[in-house]
Amino acid sequence: MAKDERPRSDALVFFGATGDLAYKKIFPALHNMARRKRLDFPVVGVAKSGISHDQLVERARASVTEHGGGGDAGAFQTLAERLRYVDGDYNEPSTFAALRAELGGAKRPAHYLAIPPSMFPTVVRQLEAAGLAANARVIVEKPFGRDLESARALNQTLHESFPEAAIFRIDHYLGKEPVQNILYFRFANAFLEPIWNRDHVENVQITMAESFGVKGRGKFYEETGVIRDVIQNHLLQIISYLAMEAPSSAYGEAIRDEQAKVLRTVRPLRCEDMVRGQFRGYTDEPGVAADSYMATYAALRLHVDSWRWADVPFFVRAGKSLAATVTEVTVEFKNPPQVVFKEPAPAVGNCVALRMSPNVAITISARAKKPGEAMVGEPVELRLTEQPAQGAEGQMDAYERLLGDAMAGDATLFARQDVVEAAWAIVDPVIHGPSPMYRYEPGTWGPKEADALVADVGGWNTPK
């Protein structure tokens, strides 16, 4: 079905209406949609909290003030007028009967499950029993399972009531402008294609660093860890954009087809291709076991066994309590033969860097002659673009973009079942170990043992 033939959802239901995700992300996104005159459908919150509709409206007001740059009284008035509320137990059919009544004449609702994955089966079956799954869409939050087996079980649960085309697995990272810019930069510029392959690329590195720890969410992190939190989803999605072949068009399924293809060529990880770490002090966090084996840092060496990328290593590192908060991709090219200018090969030669946070920038590193008589070079940086981080005034937030896309039925920026399972298959062999856990000091770039992974390519390209 072509994009413009998809019927738009005519109502949004979000379960977990009094939870953290709704407070920090969903209410601000809905407020911004109202500000842009795009909130033209009823919104029904569902939770078991014992609060009233008026109390939910006040919670939404506090949310928008704290997290949404509140201040547009007209936009909030629109949100308040659209907002309805059902208070009830997800296990009780009466809750879903009340939801059906609140939906009124809506025929194509979108159901957003902003609830723990353990509750998905209950809610999905209740929706079907109440006749609320037909012609509807379902939006689910990551993590999409805890490993490959649980991801398949989750998909089976969803498919019992919803076809794949009606399932929107929301990974907010794919809605971010810098991530979409990777796809655009690759395929909108002719000069890249001839050199974007194993003949010219030495290695690819991705760093996703956070200078803060778990912020009191130790219990959550004990169930997640860095691999489930950002590597299996966010960073493997970035790798798919960097390594995939050109899609036949910008149509969503064409892009997701190529993502699935390239992720299936990535070798499943082995313990010798991974270094896991834990920042000193993590086990002092509330909710964290004294002997915790959960990684707050991981560095990986990945191999993409495709014609384009054979023998080109992809290195990924991510962690908490590191030296900076920054996300950056570097694609480093091979050095030219040193036969014209008798200089030592530079440690880092030509490379393309795509900075995704805290600012958005694309730079190309090259070498140019130093002024003077000697034929000696120096590194120079060509800055192609620089933009403020997403969330700056006037920019659309990732959740606002993705909610709008889900309501319109555009799945381009959502994870498809085969893409999710292909990503899990890569990390599944190492998710539970066994491999050593190395301690590292907060404020550093992680355990020194990770340096061995990149020793053959001259070390990590640490963001400036």
Side-chain angles (χ1 to χ4, degrees):
M1 184 182 294
K3 178 179 175 180
D4 57 1
E5 294 175 357
R6 297 185 182 113
R8 190 165 184 262
S9 294
D10 56 2
L12 175 66
V13 178
F14 66 106
F15 294 85
T18 57
D20 280 351
L21 182 64
Y23 189 79
K24 294 177 180 178
K25 297 294 184 181
I26 298 176
F27 282 127
L30 293 171
H31 174 260
N32 285 333
M33 290 177 77
R35 183 180 287 173
R36 298 180 201 273
K37 313 298 183 187
R38 298 172 67 220
L39 191 67
D40 55 356
F41 47 83
V43 177
V44 185
V46 185
K48 184 185 178 183
S49 298
I51 67 171
S52 66
H53 170 266
D54 289 345
Q55 287 173 309
L56 184 67
V57 170
E58 289 310 307
R59 182 171 174 80
R61 190 190 307 276
S63 159
V64 168
T65 301
E66 185 175 351
H67 297 287
D72 190 325
F76 186 80
Q77 183 63 31
T78 299
L79 172 58
E81 290 171 355
R82 297 286 183 187
L83 187 60
R84 306 170 188 179
Y85 181 57
V86 173
D87 192 90
D89 191 324
Y90 299 153
N91 291 291
E92 294 296 330
S94 58
T95 301
F96 294 82
L99 171 59
R100 188 167 190 166
E102 287 291 347
L103 283 170
K107 303 296 184 186
R108 299 179 304 279
H111 302 291
Y112 191 157
L113 308 189
I115 53 178
S118 59
M119 291 301 301
F120 287 0
T122 298
V123 171
V124 167
R125 287 164 190 155
Q126 291 277 26
L127 286 171
E128 184 173 34
L132 293 171
N135 300 316
R137 296 181 174 115
V138 64
I139 306 167
V140 295
E141 275 280 340
K142 78 170 187 72
F144 312 120
R146 290 181 48 79
D147 49 27
L148 181 57
E149 181 181 0
S150 60
R152 286 172 172 163
L154 173 59
N155 283 328
Q156 183 177 352
T157 296
L158 295 172
H159 287 147
E160 288 173 1
S161 302
F162 296 92
E164 178 64 26
I167 300 171
F168 290 73
R169 299 172 188 83
I170 191 167
D171 181 348
H172 73 279
Y173 211 69
L174 291 181
K176 289 180 175 289
E177 195 72 31
V179 178
Q180 295 172 49
N181 199 23
I182 294 174
L183 195 65
Y184 190 89
F185 182 66
R186 264 204 69 191
F187 297 115
N189 294 294
F191 74 90
L192 279 178
E193 178 57 26
I195 60 173
W196 204 261
N197 55 55
R198 68 183 189 277
D199 294 328
H200 298 279
V201 175
E202 178 74 24
N203 69 86
V204 179
Q205 297 188 23
I206 304 173
T207 295
M208 185 177 186
E210 293 173 326
S211 60
F212 49 86
V214 296
K215 293 185 172 180
R217 301 173 71 214
K219 184 176 180 181
F220 164 79
Y221 213 76
E222 277 290 89
E223 295 293 322
T224 310
V226 68
I227 297 177
R228 293 188 183 96
D229 191 28
V230 298
I231 292 177
Q232 181 275 333
N233 36 66
H234 301 340
L235 299 188
L236 286 180
Q237 295 282 0
I238 290 176
I239 285 179
S240 73
Y241 279 0
L242 292 168
M244 66 192 252
E245 297 301 315
S248 58
S249 71
Y251 176 56
E253 294 310 315
I255 293 172
R256 300 199 299 177
D257 284 345
E258 296 303 330
Q259 286 184 280
K261 285 179 189 176
V262 76
L263 288 177
R264 284 195 290 265
T265 70
V266 180
R267 285 182 218 168
L269 278 164
R270 304 172 303 167
C271 286
E272 52 263 44
D273 289 322
M274 172 182 177
V275 173
R276 72 174 78 215
Q278 190 181 92
F279 68 81
R280 198 171 301 281
Y282 172 70
T283 53
D284 298 329
E285 292 279 345
V288 175
D291 60 349
S292 172
Y293 183 65
M294 191 56 68
T296 62
Y297 171 97
L300 314 173
R301 177 173 50 219
L302 296 161
H303 302 275
V304 182
D305 291 331
S306 67
W307 183 267
R308 180 185 292 268
W309 295 111
D311 300 323
V312 177
F314 283 66
F315 299 100
V316 172
R317 60 175 173 170
K320 290 189 173 293
S321 288
L322 297 181
T325 296
V326 60
T327 301
E328 185 171 281
V329 173
T330 58
V331 180
E332 188 174 346
F333 296 93
K334 296 178 180 178
N335 287 318
Q338 301 298 308
V339 296
V340 179
F341 307 112
K342 306 299 184 180
E343 296 180 288
V348 178
N350 301 151
C351 85
V352 173
L354 300 110
R355 173 73 63 90
M356 287 177 280
S357 72
N359 60 321
V360 181
I362 300 174
T363 58
I364 295 177
S365 297
R367 290 185 67 77
K369 181 184 175 297
K370 280 185 178 180
E373 294 182 6
M375 293 294 283
V376 178
E378 63 181 349
V380 295
E381 193 173 80
L382 312 176
R383 190 167 293 269
L384 303 185
T385 182
E386 185 161 10
Q387 304 162 4
Q390 185 151 338
E393 185 67 29
Q395 289 193 15
M396 188 179 292
D397 176 77
Y399 269 89
E400 180 189 354
R401 180 188 300 274
L402 292 172
L403 272 179
D405 285 356
M407 295 298 289
D410 182 357
T412 305
L413 300 178
F414 294 82
R416 201 170 65 188
Q417 175 187 359
D418 54 349
V419 175
V420 170
E421 293 186 6
W424 273 120
I426 295 166
V427 302
D428 208 54
V430 300
I431 195 88
H432 302 295
S435 61
M437 180 71 75
Y438 299 103
R439 297 289 185 272
Y440 63 95
E441 295 297 327
T444 67
W445 284 104
K448 64 182 186 304
E449 288 80 3
D451 295 346
L453 287 177
V454 292
D456 291 345
V457 298
W460 292 105
N461 293 330
T462 298
K464 298 176 182 177

